[in-house]
Amino acid sequence: MAEINPYIFREYDIRGVVDKDLTPDVIEFIGKGFGSYMKRNGAKKISLGGDIRLHTEKLREGIIRGITSTGVNIVNLGAVPTPAQYFSLHKLPVDGGMMITGSHNPPEFNGFKMSLGTAPVYGEAIQEIRKIIESDDFETGQGRVEEYSILDEYINDVAGRLKLQKPVKVIVDCGNGAASLVAQKLFQKLNANATMLFCEPDGRFPNHHPDPTVVEYIQDLIQKVRESDAEIGIGFDGDADRIGVVDNKGDIIWGDRLLAIFAMELLERRKGEKIIFDVKCSQALPETIEAAGGIPVMWKTGHSLLKKKMKETGALIGGEMSGHLFFADNYYGYDDAIYAAARLLELLSKTDKNISELLANVPQYYSTPEIRAECASDEEKFSIAKKAADYFKQNNDVIDIDGVRILFGDGWGLVRPSNTQPVIVVRFEAKTPERRDEIKNLVLNKLKEFGEINF
Ligand SMILES: [Zn+2]
């Protein structure tokens, strides 16, 4: 069997550096492992999409060889954004699917997001695929491949659900990623007054890296919004499952405040609904949801986990700080930044307020960005996080559904071991910048007492 780096089998996807971790042999083995896993779970046919990275087509060839060798049939969608591949799971007669994408990661990375039925394959299931590969325990057969072009159906579905009452002046930055495949057509169909920025697919990402949640990569969008007097700026990550937004002044609206806008609009129509969000979000979000008559539900970080929680609770809207937004209200419930963008335009078209005015009643807290602190090892990471939880539980209220969110009354600190690296992610927030820094210093100093950690 080929030598495989076990670390490519991550919590939410299989991902690695192309040619180093993902050699042609390894890619084919991943196809065999995935195909075998799917077949054993009753799947006969799957849909396969890929982003616009330069090596995606090479990965597609190998993965098709692997999957078909297990007897599973493939509907090949070609180059599509991730949400269009999710869309195929609901629309085509398939039993699951795979998306080849490096998402927002550096250009040398690529990977595989997988679904069984319409639900994500993650966590233990990904480890099961690893075990199938390591033990050479593959199904055999002869799967067929058919080509299917889904993008027009996808665009029509999204556009058919939403109606702009007036054109909204928007700058759209695709970062040359997979959103480029649909953005122009969709925003035209919606009658938005859209100016497209870097919306030609180019896997070299020549203008900026496609990750609109990184301040450095959203500067072009900010500048363009400011100089063109637009109402809003919208950016997409490389595979268009995460959104980044700037307001009419060019200020960044992070995922939690964006979710607050959608939550307020929903709760105006439907009181008492649950809104799901991850532990990294500002306290301003649950406060806003409650004030608007909704039920805030804080949950673990990770798009697969949030999707599952939404299904379990019947929540209509959910979201993450990272820009994954989920709509089960007038949509399918998966994270689709393109749908979220269109829906935001519809929302703006129905009000005379601009985004900053919509956020006027949302409390403003002062938070730090995410700080990633490296630990000596994975063991050390868990040990430090455990000691922190035990220590702070003595005198503080804590929320420990994912890492530990320590509540200080007028602020909070989050200590969360990363799912994928020997890293502890921390974040702090309070009512004043001074208090935020005080909480930050207090927590960071404690973490240093608990083990070897570098900030
Ligand atoms: Zn992504």
Side-chain angles (χ1 to χ4, degrees):
M1 194 205 74
E3 200 56 44
I4 298 187
N5 177 357
Y7 295 110
I8 65 174
F9 299 94
R10 299 150 39 95
E11 187 64 15
Y12 310 117
D13 54 14
I14 300 175
R15 188 197 300 162
V17 174
V18 177
D19 290 334
K20 186 168 159 268
D21 305 316
L22 301 176
T23 61
D25 281 352
V26 169
I27 294 161
E28 195 167 328
F29 274 114
I30 292 171
K32 283 171 179 249
F34 175 65
S36 304
Y37 173 83
M38 296 300 282
K39 196 169 176 179
R40 282 168 199 161
N41 282 281
K44 294 185 172 68
K45 192 195 265 190
I46 64 121
S47 67
L48 176 66
D51 67 16
I52 53 85
R53 284 179 186 244
L54 299 176
H55 29 59
T56 292
E57 287 315 304
K58 193 168 70 181
L59 268 64
R60 191 194 300 272
E61 285 167 28
I63 215 78
I64 286 178
R65 264 199 307 279
I67 293 174
T68 50
S69 78
T70 66
V72 171
N73 299 319
I74 297 176
V75 181
N76 186 9
L77 306 172
V80 295
T82 291
Q85 194 272 324
Y86 292 156
F87 175 73
S88 74
L89 302 174
H90 293 263
K91 286 290 152 183
L92 301 182
V94 293
D95 313 303
M98 179 185 255
M99 178 72 194
I100 305 169
T101 178
S103 189
H104 57 281
N105 293 282
E108 63 274 22
F109 281 84
N110 215 323
F112 308 92
K113 288 179 180 162
M114 298 160 287
S115 309
L116 176 61
T118 57
V121 170
Y122 71 98
E124 271 309 302
I126 292 182
Q127 295 311 315
E128 214 176 306
I129 293 171
R130 175 180 60 80
K131 284 175 204 153
I132 292 173
I133 297 170
E134 283 173 355
S135 54
D136 246 322
D137 176 25
F138 301 120
E139 296 286 324
T140 54
Q142 270 193 334
R144 293 182 307 275
V145 183
E146 58 182 295
E147 312 290 321
Y148 191 86
S149 144
I150 199 159
L151 290 183
D152 282 340
E153 251 169 278
Y154 168 73
I155 290 169
N156 289 338
D157 187 288
V158 172
R161 291 169 184 276
L162 302 164
K163 196 164 169 45
L164 269 57
Q165 289 187 358
K166 56 178 188 253
V168 177
K169 188 167 180 186
V170 55
I171 312 291
V172 178
D173 182 350
C174 299
N176 300 104
S180 310
L181 300 165
V182 298
Q184 177 137 24
K185 224 172 178 177
L186 174 68
F187 289 109
Q188 247 163 25
K189 252 195 164 33
L190 288 166
N191 279 323
N193 176 4
T195 303
M196 313 309 278
L197 196 62
F198 314 135
C199 288
E200 309 78 37
D202 187 338
R204 294 169 301 154
F205 306 128
N207 293 294
H208 63 72
H209 196 66
D211 188 350
T213 59
V214 174
V215 175
E216 187 190 338
Y217 304 137
I218 202 168
Q219 292 308 315
D220 293 318
L221 181 60
I222 290 173
Q223 200 192 332
K224 191 81 181 168
V225 166
R226 284 183 180 154
E227 73 189 26
S228 58
D229 196 27
E231 291 167 68
I232 184 173
I234 294 175
F236 301 105
D237 84 326
D239 63 332
D241 60 355
R242 294 193 302 125
I243 191 170
V245 171
V246 303
D247 70 10
N248 52 308
K249 285 175 266 169
D251 292 332
I252 301 172
I253 312 279
W254 296 106
D256 48 0
R257 295 181 81 75
L258 203 50
L259 184 57
I261 294 174
F262 287 118
M264 287 187 287
E265 192 274 334
L266 176 81
L267 292 166
E268 222 173 83
R269 290 183 279 124
R270 303 180 57 140
K271 289 267 173 287
E273 291 291 345
K274 295 190 180 84
I275 311 283
I276 317 269
F277 55 93
D278 77 322
V279 291
K280 293 178 181 176
C281 288
S282 168
Q283 191 58 32
L285 180 58
E287 285 175 11
T288 303
I289 294 168
E290 266 175 2
I295 303 168
V297 180
M298 191 182 287
W299 195 235
K300 300 174 187 183
T301 294
H303 61 95
S304 308
L305 302 171
L306 248 87
K307 265 178 275 205
K308 189 163 170 238
K309 190 72 176 172
M310 282 195 48
K311 271 202 185 135
E312 274 170 25
T313 56
L316 296 176
I317 296 189
E320 281 191 345
M321 192 65 205
S322 63
H324 286 278
L325 291 176
F326 311 81
F327 295 90
D329 166 61
N330 189 21
Y331 206 52
Y332 302 96
Y334 52 73
D335 35 347
D336 182 341
I338 294 161
Y339 174 80
R343 185 159 166 146
L344 185 57
L345 295 189
E346 185 194 57
L347 191 154
L348 284 175
S349 80
K350 287 182 173 172
T351 163
D352 292 328
K353 293 180 179 162
N354 61 35
I355 286 224
S356 357
E357 288 162 347
L358 287 174
L359 284 167
N361 293 326
V362 175
Q364 180 69 58
Y365 288 127
Y366 296 87
S367 51
T368 63
E370 259 181 48
I371 303 165
R372 300 173 64 81
E374 291 194 13
C375 304
S377 65
D378 280 318
E379 294 72 40
E380 186 80 350
K381 163 182 83 177
F382 287 122
S383 148
I384 293 172
K386 169 86 172 58
K387 284 179 190 160
D390 292 345
Y391 173 82
F392 284 106
K393 270 178 193 170
Q394 296 168 23
N395 293 309
N396 295 74
D397 284 332
V398 304
I399 301 170
D400 58 0
I401 48 175
D402 185 11
V404 52
R405 180 156 156 154
I406 310 147
L407 310 182
F408 291 88
D410 54 354
W412 53 271
L414 176 71
V415 177
R416 178 178 176 271
S418 157
N419 280 323
T420 48
Q421 288 165 300
V423 160
I424 288 182
V425 175
V426 291
R427 187 164 193 246
F428 305 94
E429 178 181 274
K431 288 187 172 160
T432 64
E434 295 74 27
R435 180 61 178 145
R436 172 199 62 198
D437 294 343
E438 209 174 279
I439 292 173
K440 176 179 157 186
N441 291 334
L442 178 98
V443 173
L444 293 188
N445 285 334
K446 273 293 156 200
L447 293 186
K448 278 183 201 151
E449 285 176 28
F450 295 149
E452 209 179 305
I453 183 164
N454 293 308
F455 299 106

